[in-house]
Amino acid sequence: MTILGATGSIGLNTLDVVRRHPDRFSVYALTAATRVDEMAALCREFRPALAVMADEQAAQLLAERLSNQPETRVLAGERGLCEVAADPAVNTVMAAIVGAAGLAPTLAAVDAGKRVLLANKEALVMSGQLFMDAVARSGAELLPIDSEHNAIFQCLPSGQVRDLPGAGVRRILLTASGGPFRSHTAEQLRTVTPAQACKHPNWSMGQKISVDSATLMNKGLELIEACWLFNTTPDCIEVHVHPESIIHSMVEYVDGSVLAQLGSPDMRTPIANGMAWPDRVEAGVDALDLFALGRFHFERPDPVRFPCLRLAAEAFARGGTAPTVLNAANEAAVAAFLEGHLCFADIPVIIERTMESLPVRPALDFDGIFAADREARAQALELIRQVRG
Ligand code: NAD
Ligand code: MG
């Protein structure tokens, strides 16, 4: 396996599953952005043939740190990331870099026809049809790791994941925790801090996706992700806020059956499912205690306090580069919020204004996607400067 984003929350959970099954999985390459200490420790334990740091200086430091471990070669930069994603020695690539930075290496894995375990939803959201075309062309095996999409995947007949009408599916019921501010008033949302936003009630995750969960943009990105993975449209998907995060999503069939996948909120379940599919392996996850849980709750998302879900549906409907712009503006706004430069309630404002101020272009090729991404980030940064006054 190559694990892109090994030092992150998904990367570490993946390595925990690897650790439990040394007979079945082995690590060929690990990658990270800047965290040299964490990466050096992982390299000592897993002894990969290749280790990549996206940051050149960090790569130099890592190489010094590993000078007494000659079996691990250190590479740097995006070229190194793409190289280990496409390396012929690898059959499975965990795509767990956060954000648009993951698109090029994930695509390299797709183009090389790997089993691609997709956690990096932003890569698919920003390039949609082009990404799915690349999967079809190369014969890569794309398996969803996002817990909701993995749940839906498990509730669909395995040959008909992209033929919902043929499978007799009426709707997908996409569950959402509602995030840490589910019960906050609009007034309260103006003063929440990054630390509060990153404290998710059920899941322990990286900072960016934690903020996305708090704004519900995570569900917006997941709505788009589900449309591409399962070849459907937003009108066949209904978001259900389910604060317990035990039902990870559901599929409703025309005969009235609703199939759900349940489990403790622990990403090792979908990760192990993708790694071992179609088999099942032990993942170290606590058994579900339904007696202790007692009951489940469901509510509709509030479009007024949480406009990001609507913005995502609009971006998907507009098509072309609109989802690329949505994703880039969101990444810029979330980063500004985490740095203390933007208030939480202004995240959707920045995204909406960025979308309004840029034209939607047809998504003809990946160069066009990267250009739209750059343009939208620059525009969002300019709007953030204006909001800050
Ligand atoms: P994280 O912030 O914990 O880790 C991100 C990883 O990406 C790190 O290893 C980091 O070194 C690497 N990285 C960051 N910027 C990079 C760059 N510019 N170039 C190369 N590498 C870079 O994030 P996470 O929570 O593990 O999330 C990773 C992805 O998985 C995201 O797309 C997220 O939406 C998705 N995801 C995460 C969870 C979860 O529970 N954490 C659940 C579902 C989906
Ligand atoms: Mg999810």
Side-chain angles (χ1 to χ4, degrees):
M1 291 183 73
T2 282
I3 299 168
L4 301 169
T7 52
S9 162
I10 293 290
L12 293 174
N13 277 307
T14 305
L15 288 169
D16 188 72
V17 177
V18 170
R19 215 179 259 131
R20 289 163 194 278
H21 303 279
D23 49 321
R24 192 166 181 139
F25 307 111
S26 70
V27 173
Y28 180 74
L30 297 175
T31 87
T34 52
R35 292 189 207 151
V36 175
D37 290 342
E38 284 93 329
M39 186 64 159
L42 293 177
C43 289
R44 292 251 181 267
E45 181 183 352
F46 290 95
R47 307 247 166 230
L50 291 160
V52 188
M53 299 300 296
D55 181 79
E56 307 270 342
Q57 213 181 344
Q60 224 165 50
L61 287 172
L62 183 69
E64 283 164 27
R65 204 71 67 80
L66 295 179
S67 56
N68 57 355
Q69 187 173 314
E71 74 259 44
T72 302
R73 198 153 61 87
V74 177
L75 305 179
E78 190 172 273
R79 253 194 39 210
L81 297 173
C82 293
E83 211 175 302
V84 297
D87 195 302
V90 163
N91 51 44
T92 301
V93 175
M94 167 55 79
I97 291 174
V98 58
L103 176 56
T106 302
L107 191 63
V110 166
D111 286 339
K114 306 297 185 192
R115 169 176 288 200
V116 178
L117 306 179
L118 186 72
N120 181 203
K121 64 193 91 182
E122 297 92 343
L124 177 56
V125 167
M126 68 191 284
S127 64
Q129 187 69 57
L130 290 167
F131 189 98
M132 296 310 293
D133 289 348
V135 171
R137 213 169 30 239
S138 70
E141 185 180 31
L142 185 65
L143 296 177
I145 297 304
D146 214 344
S147 56
E148 296 78 1
H149 305 73
N150 184 265
I152 295 161
F153 179 80
Q154 291 195 48
C155 294
L156 288 170
S158 63
Q160 285 172 296
V161 164
R162 293 183 47 75
D163 177 19
L164 301 193
V169 172
R170 190 189 285 146
R171 290 190 304 162
I172 286 173
L173 314 184
L174 184 67
T175 53
S177 68
F181 309 139
R182 183 172 56 89
S183 312
H184 277 45
T185 63
E187 185 63 31
Q188 287 172 313
L189 285 180
R190 296 213 64 81
T191 56
V192 296
T193 65
Q196 291 169 321
C198 289
K199 235 179 121 199
H200 195 277
N202 306 330
W203 299 93
S204 155
M205 310 182 286
Q207 286 195 318
K208 192 261 177 184
I209 184 177
S210 295
V211 177
D212 285 349
S213 299
T215 60
L216 287 204
M217 181 53 95
N218 184 49
K219 216 46 57 182
L221 299 175
E222 290 184 358
L223 179 77
I224 299 175
E225 181 186 16
C227 288
W228 292 117
L229 287 173
F230 307 115
N231 194 22
T232 186
T233 49
D235 54 301
C236 292
I237 302 176
E238 190 170 5
V239 174
H240 287 57
V241 175
H242 162 51
E244 289 86 6
S245 299
I246 297 296
I247 299 176
H248 299 305
S249 278
M250 298 171 260
V251 176
E252 180 185 279
Y253 287 86
V254 288
D255 63 3
S257 298
V258 177
L259 301 194
Q261 187 260 356
L262 286 72
S264 299
D266 186 323
M267 286 307 292
R268 290 175 299 181
T269 295
I271 290 168
N273 183 263
M275 284 167 66
W277 191 82
D279 298 343
R280 301 263 179 187
V281 294
E282 213 277 320
V285 176
D286 290 340
L288 201 55
D289 183 350
L290 291 172
F291 296 118
L293 283 160
R295 54 190 74 213
F296 292 154
H297 296 86
F298 301 97
E299 52 194 64
R300 288 178 201 283
D302 176 357
V304 178
R305 284 176 306 140
F306 301 103
C308 286
L309 201 50
R310 167 181 60 84
L311 295 175
E314 283 174 11
F316 184 82
R318 281 182 210 167
T321 54
T324 322
V325 172
L326 170 94
N327 178 67
N330 181 54
E331 285 190 32
V334 169
F337 168 66
L338 285 170
E339 286 158 19
H341 299 327
L342 189 71
C343 108
F344 180 83
D346 282 337
I347 295 173
V349 175
I350 295 296
I351 299 165
E352 185 152 29
R353 288 191 192 158
T354 305
M355 286 171 64
E356 279 166 0
S357 62
L358 293 176
V360 176
R361 301 201 177 86
L364 299 175
D365 52 31
F366 283 97
D367 285 343
I369 296 293
F370 289 116
D373 175 76
R374 278 192 302 271
E375 183 184 35
R377 269 166 216 275
Q379 178 66 12
L381 285 178
E382 180 52 37
L383 292 167
I384 291 165
R385 260 191 294 276
Q386 289 172 17
V387 169
R388 290 176 72 185

